[in-house]
Amino acid sequence: MWLLTVLVPLLRLYLCGMKVLVYQMFNRSFSLPVLPKQNGRVAIVTGGTRGMGFETARHLASLGMHVIIAGNEREEGTVAVRRIHEDGGEGKAEFVFVDLTSLKSVRQFVQTFKARGLPLHVLVNNAGTMLVPERQTEDGFEFHFCLNYLGHFLLTNLLLDVLKRSGKPGCCSRIINMSSATHYAGVIDMEDLNRRNCYSSHGAYSQSKLALVLFTYYLQEQLMAGGFSVTTNAVDPGMVDTALYNNLWSLAQALKKPVAKILFRTPAEGASISIYAAAASEMEGLGGCYLYNGVKRQSSDLSYDPELQVQMWKKSCELVGLQKA
């Protein structure tokens, strides 16, 4: 039983990875269209100190946005901000500390942001981790579940009032959730979201990415029902050569290196889908999409289950201490 619980998620995740690699073998990364200037707009990008998050922050700043890089590595944040300013774009960047594995830290970040009285037009929930050994956060949550999903769930909900005020008809605020193809392998166990019965890092990672898609669809429905000028979309960057893969087994690391050089996307290519969702004119007013390689794709059958969406929303509200909608 233990072997099946660990082996099945592993095989499902790597099968997803193989499918993505085959696709990337025969399909180039899409090219961003000419994007409109974003002067006067404010964005928050989590995990924006390196990899796809940095490339997203850099590009949005080049379009004129005021970009707040939210992360937990202060030195990396300082370097990222300096590099963006050296590019000489029309926008600006700054780093603000937040630890998405700490609900207290997320609340402090939001409190600090709101005290400044800034609007918020774009929220890119980019930060994440993959295949880390079993560990719990200070609040007792499984690490993937909290960093990839639950921290972003709380962050988004606490910032929702600002996003609603900042969005206008024809100029919506936008929420972008970074999922991945591994969500197709994801399974949600409402009775064991923290994976305590039998831990699988592959299963935990896939679950967190599926949770983000469920969150995206349910939130979009609520925003539409309320008539708010805010959209939310999930994006899939494909397989990208970033530090996420540092936790692979030694053999997998060795096998990955030559493959990555040929078939993996660069961080800039991977970030293009987040940038597109955040700034493209074609995405104005469009929400509830799962975007991959520049187009809307069908996500997993499970992600469209309305009952599961509601269950996940209510349980997440309970876990982070929010009033259920």
Side-chain angles (χ1 to χ4, degrees):
M1 183 64 183
W2 175 87
L3 185 62
L4 284 176
T5 305
V6 174
L7 191 59
V8 170
L10 183 151
L11 293 175
R12 285 167 63 91
L13 187 142
Y14 282 104
L15 179 60
C16 285
M18 289 300 295
K19 289 179 179 178
V20 174
L21 285 180
V22 170
Y23 177 87
Q24 293 184 181
M25 186 183 300
F26 298 103
N27 297 272
R28 298 181 64 182
S29 176
F30 90 107
S31 299
L32 280 168
V34 176
L35 299 172
K37 290 296 183 181
Q38 303 289 315
N39 300 74
R41 287 171 71 81
V42 178
I44 293 175
V45 180
T46 68
T49 59
R50 56 181 172 176
M52 290 185 291
F54 171 74
E55 296 296 340
T56 300
R58 176 159 67 177
H59 203 115
L60 294 180
S62 75
L63 294 172
M65 277 196 189
H66 173 185
V67 180
I68 296 168
I69 296 173
N72 64 347
E73 296 288 346
R74 298 183 192 277
E75 288 186 14
E76 285 187 3
T78 301
V79 173
V81 169
R82 185 178 70 242
R83 288 176 63 191
I84 290 171
H85 287 159
E86 286 173 352
D87 286 346
E90 295 182 29
K92 65 176 181 177
E94 61 175 298
F95 173 81
V96 179
F97 179 88
V98 66
D99 179 359
L100 285 160
T101 68
S102 164
L103 301 186
K104 179 181 178 181
S105 179
V106 173
R107 291 181 185 278
Q108 288 175 337
F109 172 87
V110 173
Q111 185 177 21
T112 301
F113 175 80
K114 287 184 174 181
R116 299 174 64 181
L118 291 171
L120 180 60
H121 304 96
V122 173
L123 172 61
V124 184
N125 290 322
N126 165 84
T129 192
M130 183 172 74
L131 306 184
V132 296
E134 184 174 11
R135 57 192 285 200
Q136 291 184 1
T137 68
E138 65 180 42
D139 300 295
F141 301 117
E142 190 278 322
F143 201 77
H144 296 89
F145 182 65
C146 192
L147 175 54
N148 295 355
Y149 167 67
L150 202 60
H152 285 123
F153 177 88
L154 178 60
L155 178 69
T156 303
N157 275 282
L158 293 179
L159 291 171
L160 211 48
D161 56 341
V162 187
L163 287 158
K164 289 173 180 177
R165 288 197 304 268
S166 304
K168 303 289 186 292
C171 194
C172 291
S173 296
R174 305 183 186 191
I175 301 165
I176 297 94
N177 292 323
M178 180 65 73
S179 186
S180 86
T182 57
H183 92 274
Y184 290 101
V187 176
I188 301 286
D189 182 353
M190 296 302 300
E191 302 303 317
D192 188 27
L193 291 172
N194 288 300
R195 299 271 164 171
R196 287 180 180 143
N197 290 338
C198 190
Y199 187 75
S200 160
S201 60
H202 299 82
Y205 178 69
S206 300
Q207 174 187 255
S208 70
K209 292 301 180 179
L210 174 57
L212 280 168
V213 184
L214 291 164
F215 169 47
T216 299
Y217 294 161
Y218 186 80
L219 178 57
Q220 181 61 34
E221 281 194 12
Q222 301 308 302
L223 293 168
M224 285 184 63
F228 299 109
S229 296
V230 183
T231 61
T232 178
N233 291 292
V235 297
D236 176 351
M239 293 191 77
V240 183
D241 195 9
T242 69
L244 269 184
Y245 293 91
N246 289 352
N247 295 312
L248 289 174
W249 299 335
S250 298
L251 178 58
Q253 283 272 20
L255 293 172
K256 172 248 175 187
K257 288 181 180 178
V259 174
K261 289 181 180 179
I262 303 170
L263 297 179
F264 279 33
R265 306 293 197 213
T266 65
E269 289 172 334
S272 61
I273 192 63
S274 295
I275 298 163
Y276 179 76
S281 300
E282 295 88 339
M283 291 303 298
E284 178 55 45
L286 290 179
C289 301
Y290 182 83
L291 301 172
Y292 174 58
N293 211 34
V295 296
K296 182 179 179 180
R297 293 291 178 91
Q298 194 86 356
S299 56
S300 70
D301 291 342
L302 201 55
S303 67
Y304 294 107
D305 184 336
E307 196 171 306
L308 185 59
Q309 290 172 12
V310 172
Q311 288 177 345
M312 195 67 196
W313 179 275
K314 289 183 176 180
K315 185 64 175 178
S316 300
C317 286
E318 178 186 321
L319 291 173
V320 301
L322 291 176
Q323 186 176 355
K324 298 182 181 70

